[in-house]
Amino acid sequence: MKEPTLGNPQHTIEVLQKYNFSFQKKFGQNFLIDAHVLDKIISSAEITKDDFVLEIGPGIGTMTQYLACAAGKVVAVEIDQSLIPILEDTLSAYDNVRIINEDVLKVDIAKLVQEENGGKPIKVVANLPYYITTPIIMGLFESHVPIQSITVMVQKEVADRMQVGPGTKDYGALSLAVQYYSKPYIVANVPANCFMPRPKVGSAVIRLERYDEAPVAVTDEKMMFKVIRASFNQRRKTLANGLNNSSELDFTKEEIQLAIEKLGKGASIRGEALTLDEFAALTNILLAEA
Ligand code: SAM
């Protein structure tokens, strides 16, 4: 298969000029122009010819070319219509790529995986549009799309939030959700000069390896996430107040106090001090009481 031609400033500029393309800020368009970073993403995603890869936001097709060389099949979802003729051009040498012109948040990915890969687990690889990182990742996990791993470029600060545990300022609902569904691992930090145009924030590649089985036992997953959201909504308040004030939960003050006591914590404990294990246990206690 044809070696990638994109992944450097010169060829990227040539393509942009040929099509008179103007960047759209609202779509979070920062295109990769560094072959080392592209190689690193492909190698850490461990793509083989047996793999079906979903790419979110192919841009002008830079990473898509690398993915097409490594994978069996690539489906790439791009929202910006003006990129479609460019993609048809830059990907014309690859017969294992399908482009879908759509907002990824509106695509039924479980159905797509069923149709294109017989429902077998896929790999997601992307240089994500940063303005919708969290909804994309949470959407993939919560809709139980069969996924083996997600290897994505995200804002450095968001990668940190996905990885940390209790006792740090970055710890929150995103950390717990990501760590409930997957094992996160930061693969590389990527400086702004690897993109065109340069983003104002630092970036990092993170790999999320989906668990076959959740690392904690909880009787009602959805309820646990309601408890987690309620605990972090009011970060400066105690866990008891957070749970009490939540519009998503209807446990009584007494039930909440008793559950926190049964968990072995003091009344002044804050949500940000609890581990994923403890959130699961707290949810199980609350559900058993109610
Ligand atoms: N993959 C390319 C690269 O690395 O050079 C482009 C990455 S750029 C950070 C993000 C891409 O996602 C852009 O092409 C943008 O148009 C696209 N995008 C933004 N919002 C999207 C959405 N809701 N659905 C699908 N694609 C989207």
Side-chain angles (χ1 to χ4, degrees), residues 27-32 55-59 62-63 77-80 83 102-105 127-129 131-132:
F27 289 145
Q29 292 175 337
N30 301 95
F31 298 163
L32 269 168
E55 186 190 7
I56 296 159
T62 306
M63 195 152 76
V77 181
E78 173 57 59
I79 196 170
D80 186 351
L83 286 166
E102 184 56 277
D103 175 349
V104 73
L105 297 177
N127 170 15
L128 287 179
Y131 74 105
I132 43 169

Side-chain angles (χ1 to χ4, degrees), residues 23-123:
F23 288 98
Q24 297 229 47
K25 226 177 167 179
K26 67 170 182 196
F27 289 145
Q29 292 175 337
N30 301 95
F31 298 163
L32 269 168
I33 50 167
D34 187 297
H36 293 294
V37 174
L38 286 150
D39 284 334
K40 182 83 188 166
I41 294 172
I42 304 297
S43 66
S44 55
E46 294 175 353
I47 309 288
T48 72
K49 281 287 164 196
D50 290 332
D51 288 322
F52 176 96
V53 174
L54 170 68
E55 186 190 7
I56 296 159
I60 60 167
T62 306
M63 195 152 76
T64 327
Q65 290 187 341
Y66 285 71
L67 289 168
C69 289
K73 171 111 203 230
V74 182
V75 171
V77 181
E78 173 57 59
I79 196 170
D80 186 351
Q81 205 178 356
S82 67
L83 286 166
I84 304 304
I86 305 184
L87 287 163
E88 278 163 10
D89 181 359
T90 59
L91 300 171
S92 61
Y94 305 92
D95 59 7
N96 58 346
V97 178
R98 176 180 163 203
I99 302 293
I100 300 176
N101 182 201
E102 184 56 277
D103 175 349
V104 73
L105 297 177
K106 294 192 182 140
V107 177
D108 183 342
I109 296 173
K111 188 166 158 232
L112 182 75
V113 174
Q114 188 59 44
E115 286 166 2
E116 294 268 357
N117 203 37
K120 292 195 300 293
I122 62 161
K123 289 182 177 165

Side-chain angles (χ1 to χ4, degrees), residues 4-289:
T5 50
L6 294 167
N8 60 66
Q10 192 198 332
H11 286 156
T12 302
I13 291 168
E14 274 170 24
V15 170
L16 298 175
Q17 285 181 344
K18 181 173 167 191
Y19 288 91
N20 202 10
F21 177 79
S22 32
F23 288 98
Q24 297 229 47
K25 226 177 167 179
K26 67 170 182 196
F27 289 145
Q29 292 175 337
N30 301 95
F31 298 163
L32 269 168
I33 50 167
D34 187 297
H36 293 294
V37 174
L38 286 150
D39 284 334
K40 182 83 188 166
I41 294 172
I42 304 297
S43 66
S44 55
E46 294 175 353
I47 309 288
T48 72
K49 281 287 164 196
D50 290 332
D51 288 322
F52 176 96
V53 174
L54 170 68
E55 186 190 7
I56 296 159
I60 60 167
T62 306
M63 195 152 76
T64 327
Q65 290 187 341
Y66 285 71
L67 289 168
C69 289
K73 171 111 203 230
V74 182
V75 171
V77 181
E78 173 57 59
I79 196 170
D80 186 351
Q81 205 178 356
S82 67
L83 286 166
I84 304 304
I86 305 184
L87 287 163
E88 278 163 10
D89 181 359
T90 59
L91 300 171
S92 61
Y94 305 92
D95 59 7
N96 58 346
V97 178
R98 176 180 163 203
I99 302 293
I100 300 176
N101 182 201
E102 184 56 277
D103 175 349
V104 73
L105 297 177
K106 294 192 182 140
V107 177
D108 183 342
I109 296 173
K111 188 166 158 232
L112 182 75
V113 174
Q114 188 59 44
E115 286 166 2
E116 294 268 357
N117 203 37
K120 292 195 300 293
I122 62 161
K123 289 182 177 165
V124 177
V125 185
N127 170 15
L128 287 179
Y130 293 171
Y131 74 105
I132 43 169
T133 300
T134 302
I136 289 176
I137 292 188
M138 293 320 299
L140 289 169
F141 282 145
E142 281 171 359
S143 59
H144 291 271
V145 174
I147 284 176
Q148 231 175 306
S149 63
I150 301 178
T151 307
V152 280
M153 180 86 72
V154 296
Q155 201 176 321
K156 167 86 179 89
E157 194 199 306
V158 176
D160 290 339
R161 269 198 265 149
M162 290 181 190
Q163 243 208 171
V164 292
T168 55
K169 72 166 178 27
D170 287 335
Y171 186 59
L174 181 66
S175 330
L176 285 152
V178 162
Q179 292 165 31
Y180 176 73
Y181 290 110
S182 70
K183 191 169 162 18
Y185 166 70
I186 294 185
V187 172
N189 290 323
V190 180
N193 62 7
C194 296
F195 301 86
M196 184 183 292
R198 294 180 183 202
K200 289 198 177 69
V201 292
S203 301
V205 179
I206 190 161
R207 182 182 153 128
L208 311 174
E209 181 118 25
R210 183 82 160 91
Y211 288 127
D212 290 333
E213 234 175 274
V216 296
V218 64
T219 33
D220 182 342
E221 189 179 300
K222 285 209 169 80
M223 178 60 75
M224 180 176 75
F225 285 112
K226 284 184 190 169
V227 169
I228 289 173
R229 273 195 299 274
S231 311
F232 286 97
N233 264 349
Q234 296 175 300
R235 242 192 136 93
R236 310 303 325 152
K237 297 223 161 125
T238 61
L239 173 63
N241 278 335
L243 299 183
N244 211 17
N245 296 343
S246 165
S247 57
E248 281 194 293
L249 300 172
D250 56 3
F251 299 109
T252 64
K253 212 172 171 175
E254 291 68 36
E255 282 170 339
I256 292 168
Q257 274 170 356
L258 188 64
I260 293 174
E261 212 179 291
K262 280 191 186 163
L263 189 69
K265 301 288 175 186
S268 63
I269 187 92
R270 291 214 177 124
E272 63 195 17
L274 297 195
T275 62
L276 175 60
D277 250 332
E278 288 168 337
F279 273 112
L282 177 64
T283 307
N284 292 341
I285 297 169
L286 282 167
L287 287 172
E289 269 179 6

